[in-house]
């Protein structure tokens, strides 16, 4: 066994992880391609590069991030689903993977069955945001306004079928109100509209709105996770404001093609968990509004399956046209 493989095994034992089979310790013998389905420089790209760079240190081979944007991440997912299941082609999947599984009538792949889940990487909430000059002070007022005038209180999102959109539909369902969805082409467009006073509020990820919040142009009135977001600890959750049980967080995680040997999956999962212990990775994820959190393959599979089921119900209840 090569010296670096011995060191890797010893390192895993020292951290309390089980020693991997010798075959898995030999893997990888060449560069790994890690596909992400969005534009270079975005959240998914940044997450893939932060974790991939750290994983490469222990794997002893480069983890090359490939951006294959389009169709909400579906193009990259198709590439990986159809790849040889040998551990050299991986997917950085996001919350949009589960949304696609709920929203599309047909996909070139099966959202769960065509992949081996490796580990979750990060979870992050969305923020409910108003113009800093808005009279709205909290989410309870938004709900009250919607009760008084059903279907007239609008909210902006990054587009029809986005996780932002479904988060708004779930809010309306659980709060028992009717909201007016106003879709835009991306977060930047929805923020511009909010700054202009065209919509009462938007739903967006922290990275998209934090600069304007810090500049005093926008104001967050709620966060969509079960716990308050550490980046804005004074902003209450949706659940704290009368919508008990509401919990919407996007996520990112690592997947491989179905049929990838379990020894390879276990090796990759070990290195994801190791990477998430690195202070530089944790800080990068926190800067993007995320919480570093790994999982077992089984835990990730359960999470993704439950996410798809949740969004399928929201899509059906809101009568969102399937694509």
């Amino acid at each position: 066994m090569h010296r670096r493989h011995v060191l890797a095994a010893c390192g895993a034992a020292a951290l309390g992880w089980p020693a991997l089979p010798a075959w898995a310790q030999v893997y990888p013998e060449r560069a790994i391609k890690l596909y992400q389905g969005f534009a270079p420089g975005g959240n998914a790209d940044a997450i893939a590069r932060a974790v991939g760079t750290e994983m490469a240190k222990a794997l002893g081979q480069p983890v090359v991030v490939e951006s294959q944007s389009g169709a909400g991440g579906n193009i990259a997912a198709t590439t990986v689903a159809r790849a040889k299941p040998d551990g050299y082609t991986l997917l950085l999947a996001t919350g949009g993977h589960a949304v696609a599984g709920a929203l599309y009538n047909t996909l070139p792949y099966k959202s769960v069955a065509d992949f081996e889940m490796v580990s979750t990487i990060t979870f992050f909430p969305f923020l409910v945001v108003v113009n800093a000059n808005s009279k709205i002070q909290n989410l309870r007022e938004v709900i009250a306004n919607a009760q008084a005038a059903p279907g007239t209180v609008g909210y902006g999102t990054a587009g029809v079928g986005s996780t932002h959109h479904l988060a708004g539909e779930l809010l309306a369902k659980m709060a028992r109100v009717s909201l007016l969805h106003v879709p835009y082409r991306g977060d930047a467009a929805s923020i511009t509209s909010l700054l202009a006073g065209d919509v009462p509020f938007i739903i967006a990820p922290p990275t998209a709105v934090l600069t304007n919040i810090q500049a005093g142009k926008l104001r967050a009135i709620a966060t969509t996770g079960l716990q308050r977001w550490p980046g804005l600890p004074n902003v209450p959750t949706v659940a704290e404001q009368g919508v008990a049980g509401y919990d919407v967080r996007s996520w990112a995680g690592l997947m491989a093609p179905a049929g990838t040997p379990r020894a390879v999956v276990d090796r990759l999962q070990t290195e994801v968990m190791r990477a998430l212990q690195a202070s530089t990775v944790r800080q990068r994820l926190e800067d993007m509004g995320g919480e570093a959190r790994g999982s077992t393959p089984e835990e990730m599979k359960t999470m993704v399956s439950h996410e798809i089921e949740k969004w399928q119900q929201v899509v059906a209840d809101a009568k969102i046209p399937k694509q």
Side-chain angles (χ1 to χ4, degrees), residues 125-208:
F126 290 91
L127 298 177
V128 180
V129 183
V130 299
N131 190 299
N133 297 323
S134 173
K135 294 180 180 179
I136 297 172
Q137 296 301 310
N138 53 59
L139 187 65
R140 292 182 185 275
E141 293 181 12
V142 172
I143 294 172
N145 291 342
Q147 290 171 335
T152 65
V153 177
Y155 69 98
T157 73
V160 174
S162 63
T163 309
H164 319 42
H165 175 200
L166 299 192
E169 295 292 354
L170 182 61
L171 171 61
K173 174 186 175 182
M174 295 183 67
R176 299 181 181 178
V177 296
S178 176
L179 297 170
L180 175 64
H181 179 227
V182 184
Y184 294 92
R185 291 189 175 183
D187 289 312
S190 72
I191 292 168
T192 298
S193 183
L194 182 63
L195 288 168
D198 295 335
V199 288
F201 72 97
I202 65 171
I203 298 174
T207 47

Side-chain angles (χ1 to χ4, degrees), residues 23-320:
W23 184 85
Q25 293 170 23
V26 172
Y27 162 87
E29 296 181 302
R30 63 179 188 273
I32 296 169
K33 286 188 176 181
L34 174 54
Y35 284 85
Q36 65 87 12
F38 301 89
N43 272 14
D45 190 59
I47 293 167
R49 292 182 187 281
V51 175
T53 298
E54 191 64 31
M55 289 177 66
K57 295 177 182 179
L59 289 170
Q61 295 289 345
V63 177
V64 181
V65 176
E66 299 276 355
S67 175
Q68 199 170 58
S69 61
N74 295 345
I75 295 175
T78 301
T79 295
V80 175
R82 293 175 176 175
K84 185 178 179 180
D86 56 7
Y88 290 97
T89 306
L90 307 175
L91 177 67
L92 191 285
T94 69
H97 185 86
V99 170
L103 191 62
Y104 285 84
N105 276 319
T106 57
L107 285 169
Y109 56 86
K110 296 177 182 177
S111 301
V112 176
D114 283 350
F115 298 91
E116 300 293 343
M117 309 296 165
V118 176
S119 173
T120 57
I121 292 171
T122 184
F123 290 82
F124 61 89
F126 290 91
L127 298 177
V128 180
V129 183
V130 299
N131 190 299
N133 297 323
S134 173
K135 294 180 180 179
I136 297 172
Q137 296 301 310
N138 53 59
L139 187 65
R140 292 182 185 275
E141 293 181 12
V142 172
I143 294 172
N145 291 342
Q147 290 171 335
T152 65
V153 177
Y155 69 98
T157 73
V160 174
S162 63
T163 309
H164 319 42
H165 175 200
L166 299 192
E169 295 292 354
L170 182 61
L171 171 61
K173 174 186 175 182
M174 295 183 67
R176 299 181 181 178
V177 296
S178 176
L179 297 170
L180 175 64
H181 179 227
V182 184
Y184 294 92
R185 291 189 175 183
D187 289 312
S190 72
I191 292 168
T192 298
S193 183
L194 182 63
L195 288 168
D198 295 335
V199 288
F201 72 97
I202 65 171
I203 298 174
T207 47
V209 293
L210 194 56
T211 298
N212 280 300
I213 291 173
Q214 292 170 337
K217 297 178 180 179
L218 299 178
R219 178 162 40 86
I221 60 172
T223 179
T224 63
L226 278 179
Q227 288 82 36
R228 295 190 181 195
W229 181 51
L232 294 171
N234 294 325
V235 177
T237 66
V238 171
E240 286 180 281
Q241 299 184 70
V243 189
Y246 185 91
D247 179 24
V248 173
R249 291 164 295 165
S250 195
W251 52 269
L254 194 65
M255 297 182 182
T260 300
R262 181 62 191 231
V264 171
V265 171
D266 287 344
R267 177 75 195 280
L268 290 168
Q269 193 267 350
T270 294
E271 301 310 342
V272 170
M273 298 296 286
R274 192 196 310 272
L276 293 179
Q277 296 300 315
S279 59
T280 53
V281 174
R282 298 179 74 86
Q283 187 60 55
R284 186 72 183 98
L285 296 177
E286 288 176 10
D287 290 344
M288 290 186 283
E291 170 195 2
R293 190 191 309 172
S295 72
T296 65
E298 290 75 22
E299 288 169 342
M300 183 175 176
K301 183 176 181 179
T302 297
M303 184 276 292
V304 174
S305 298
H306 286 173
E307 285 280 292
I308 292 172
E309 291 172 3
K310 177 175 73 176
W311 295 133
Q312 283 174 333
Q313 190 61 55
V314 171
V315 167
D317 291 344
K319 296 181 173 57
I320 299 172

